[in-house]
Amino acid sequence: MMMQLLIRSEKDGILCPLPQYPLYSASIALHGGSFVPYFLDEETGWGLEVDELKKQVDEARSKGITVRALVVINPGNPTGQVLAEENQKKIVEFCKNEGLVLLADEVYQENIYVEDKQFHSFKKIARSMGYTDDDLPLVSFQSVSKGYYGECGKRGGYMEVTGFNADVREQIYKVASVNLCSNISGQILSSLIMNPPKVGDESYESFMVERDGIISSLARRAKALEEAFNSLEGITCNKAEGAMYLFPRLHLPQKAIGAAQAAGAAPDAYYALRLLQATGIVVVPGSGFGQAPGTYHFRCTILPQEDKIPAIISRFKEFHEKFMDEFRD
């Protein structure tokens, strides 16, 4: 909906991270806009550098593209990083100075797994800096598909739109009204997530036990997979600070890259298909998300039941060791 409202022609660009959730590049293409990528820095735990944003904006403008908005996914998908508060302040400042709409994809806000990081909404950050609706157009996205609830099939979610004038808000409501009514179960679940049990409510204690149990289990699963990947030859994996994914880097032998090219596949797609055929384990090739040229990755969820993780790790290790031996240079 926001892409439809922001994009007027191919001369309008949207800044999006690479690696990215492919919905963004697809919806920008669907609405006839220009995808303006900025690279996350794998060496600094998938850091988002404002200098990189500025470089990409200047380059796009030199080609006659009007950059209209910045997409930030925090916590990250597929990369699993959680932005630091100071970093977020710099991003808000950048959007204000450059006149950009900030599109804050915050659907993994409940999924934080490290003690030294916590989630801060971009609205909270902007208000803490003294910015009001008059200073920064901001759209915050939330979903029932993630978090501790993870109800992907219910199809519920919402966005909060701030910093837009009344005429623009009216157009947003018009676009929303063109759609059919949301599904009832999605609406109910959205309202429950917006208003969880509070201290003193009859269900509060059991709710907190279940919620904390789910989040701590996801954290253990993420740590187990991260340690397993980093123990293997030819794989390096950044820490999963949040979200539901790991995005390990594959350092493939040249022979494996050659075999992939002979098969007409991207090297990470070739690896993922071989993994699926040998073990039944499904991962998504990094080439589907965009990645720095000459690098190869895959995205792995942390969602299988916790008691199944050791067997998955065992099957994965056995496959990977055989794969590396088969293609050793």
Side-chain angles (χ1 to χ4, degrees), residues 296-313:
Y296 308 110
H297 301 79
F298 62 86
R299 188 187 79 167
C300 163
T301 78
I302 59 170
L303 297 176
Q305 293 94 326
E306 190 172 356
D307 62 352
K308 291 185 177 176
I309 294 289
I312 290 168
I313 289 172

Side-chain angles (χ1 to χ4, degrees), residues 185-197:
S185 59
Q187 289 188 56
I188 292 168
L189 193 55
S190 295
S191 72
L192 290 170
I193 286 163
M194 292 168 82
N195 299 289

